[in-house]
Amino acid sequence: METNTITVFKGDGIGPEITDAVLAILDAAGADLDYEIFRVGAAEYEENGALIPEEGFASFEKTHVLLKSPITTPLGTGFRSLNVTLRKKYDLYANMRPAKSNAAVKTPFEHVDIVMFRENTEDLYAGVEEKIDENTAHSIKIITRKCSERIVRSAFDYAVKNKRKKVTCVHKANIMKLSDGLFRDVFYEISREYPGIEAEDKIVDNVAMQLVMHPETFDVIVTENLYGDILSDLTSGLIGGLGLLPSSNMGTDFAMFEAVHGSAPDIAGKGIANPTAFLWSACMMLEHLGKQEISAKIRRAVDEVLKDGTILTPDLGGCAGTEAYTKAIIERL
């Protein structure tokens, strides 16, 4: 795409802090972007009765590119997840979450390089629930051929483009024979169109075990909505935590980029939030916009700061604040 205007949702919790940090770094790197910035989330809901102002929707529908910081979702009551709402409204069906080891961040796993493709619009996250009586609630799992085909194809297309060797389908078809069985069947049908890529399938509970025993055996993973959400948090743990896991949500016409982690209200306003995952999500956005050189420059600067190890946020084992960490990256630029 060729555009210099993007929509920005600041979110709540640590959202505004890491948004300011990321935009400062983008500007320092010469990204040459204009921003239409909106406050969204809990505070906007409490004050104006809407999660997103109408102007925010209109902006996204004009720019087609959204950089969205974390937003608090109430547990059990209140409004529905804004992430789910946006994904459904704009059919952002392909959620990609790359987890790659960084030599500067020490973990028990040194060679993790896994890209998770998560179907984003159906499964249990479709939100089709029914209260049967005061003691019984049903949640309906929805899997369709259409949505399964396009997420599987996205994973294989990515594998070909990026010279990956294997795609693993994750499911629970041994128990959910119709729904997960359909997803697995579609996977193997599509895989025949990509003879140069190894195709395999594994049951989700086995994958959870194998990821912490032999993560190096995984390359590209494609899976349903709920499994992808859970397993991508697991893969973040292999590389140092959610503060290092970026994310993109792609549809036919719209693209949204966000960090995987939550709004962390417990540390909001303390100036210690780690903006790295959100920054790397912004790098994925730059690449989507055709600004690969700017993205590469930012990634190198972050790697240098992490490798130096003297100015790190507390979640990375340091004692620096968000502002100092941001400044260090900008100085490297």
Side-chain angles (χ1 to χ4, degrees):
M1 295 184 64
E2 292 184 4
T3 179
N4 282 325
T5 302
I6 65 167
T7 303
V8 178
F9 287 176
K10 270 198 167 185
D12 48 34
I14 62 170
E17 300 168 59
I18 63 173
T19 299
D20 289 344
V22 166
L23 296 187
I25 293 168
L26 291 177
D27 289 343
D32 188 29
L33 294 171
D34 294 320
Y35 311 113
E36 296 185 356
I37 303 174
F38 300 89
R39 186 183 70 162
V40 303
E44 180 71 14
Y45 182 77
E46 291 168 5
E47 290 185 21
N48 301 309
L51 294 170
I52 304 174
E54 286 301 317
E55 297 83 357
F57 284 120
S59 174
F60 186 25
E61 288 165 12
K62 178 182 66 177
T63 66
H64 292 247
V65 180
L66 172 62
L67 184 63
K68 186 191 75 63
S69 70
I71 296 166
T72 303
T73 301
L75 295 177
T77 60
F79 56 81
R80 189 183 183 199
S81 165
L82 185 51
N83 293 338
V84 173
T85 299
L86 287 166
R87 292 165 185 161
K88 292 280 288 183
K89 181 177 177 65
Y90 296 104
D91 198 25
L92 304 173
Y93 63 86
N95 183 204
M96 185 176 75
R97 297 179 171 181
K100 187 172 183 178
S101 296
N102 188 302
V105 181
K106 300 302 180 185
T107 75
F109 310 96
E110 297 180 352
H111 304 292
V112 177
D113 188 2
I114 301 168
V115 180
M116 184 83 63
F117 275 81
R118 165 194 175 197
E119 203 291 318
N120 230 2
T121 63
E122 54 180 19
D123 191 18
L124 288 169
Y125 282 21
V128 181
E129 295 186 301
E130 179 182 7
K131 187 172 183 179
I132 306 302
D133 56 46
E134 62 179 17
N135 299 309
T136 309
H138 288 180
S139 185
I140 310 301
K141 181 185 179 81
I142 299 173
I143 300 295
T144 65
R145 172 171 290 276
K146 172 188 172 182
C147 291
S148 299
E149 284 180 349
R150 62 186 185 176
I151 190 63
V152 169
R153 198 175 300 281
S154 293
F156 276 101
D157 285 344
Y158 176 88
V160 171
K161 182 178 179 180
N162 293 275
K163 296 181 173 55
R164 297 279 182 156
K165 297 180 180 179
K166 180 170 66 174
V167 178
T168 302
C169 171
V170 177
H171 60 86
K172 191 67 176 175
N174 57 325
I175 302 299
M176 287 168 278
K177 299 181 184 297
L178 296 180
S179 55
D180 283 28
L182 173 60
F183 188 85
R184 180 180 179 275
D185 289 346
V186 168
F187 171 79
Y188 278 115
E189 290 172 14
I190 298 294
S191 73
R192 290 194 285 271
E193 301 175 21
Y194 301 84
I197 305 295
E198 180 184 351
E200 66 172 11
D201 73 281
K202 293 183 183 293
I203 296 173
V204 62
D205 39 325
N206 178 39
V207 171
M209 177 185 71
Q210 295 295 335
L211 279 170
V212 297
M213 294 181 65
H214 307 291
E216 71 282 353
T217 63
F218 292 92
D219 193 352
V220 176
I221 292 175
V222 63
T223 188
E224 300 164 22
N225 208 333
L226 176 62
Y227 307 147
D229 194 10
I230 296 169
L231 292 177
S232 60
D233 274 28
L234 192 159
T235 60
S236 81
L238 303 177
I239 64 171
L242 285 172
L244 299 171
L245 192 71
S247 173
S248 68
N249 301 267
M250 307 297 293
T252 303
D253 299 313
F254 298 93
M256 178 174 73
F257 302 86
E258 60 179 347
V260 173
H261 59 71
S263 60
D266 56 320
I267 63 169
K270 295 182 179 180
I272 59 172
N274 177 8
T276 306
F278 195 37
L279 178 58
W280 279 341
S281 300
C283 286
M284 295 174 73
M285 178 190 73
L286 290 173
E287 291 154 7
H288 173 69
L289 295 173
K291 298 177 181 285
Q292 280 80 5
E293 292 183 6
I294 302 297
S295 173
K297 184 164 65 171
I298 293 172
R299 290 181 186 276
R300 286 193 298 270
V302 176
D303 286 344
E304 289 174 7
V305 172
L306 293 176
K307 185 176 181 179
D308 179 68
T310 58
I311 304 177
L312 301 177
T313 50
D315 63 306
L316 296 176
C319 57
T322 310
E323 185 177 350
Y325 180 70
T326 301
K327 183 179 178 181
I329 294 172
I330 291 174
E331 287 177 349
R332 296 283 180 170
L333 288 169

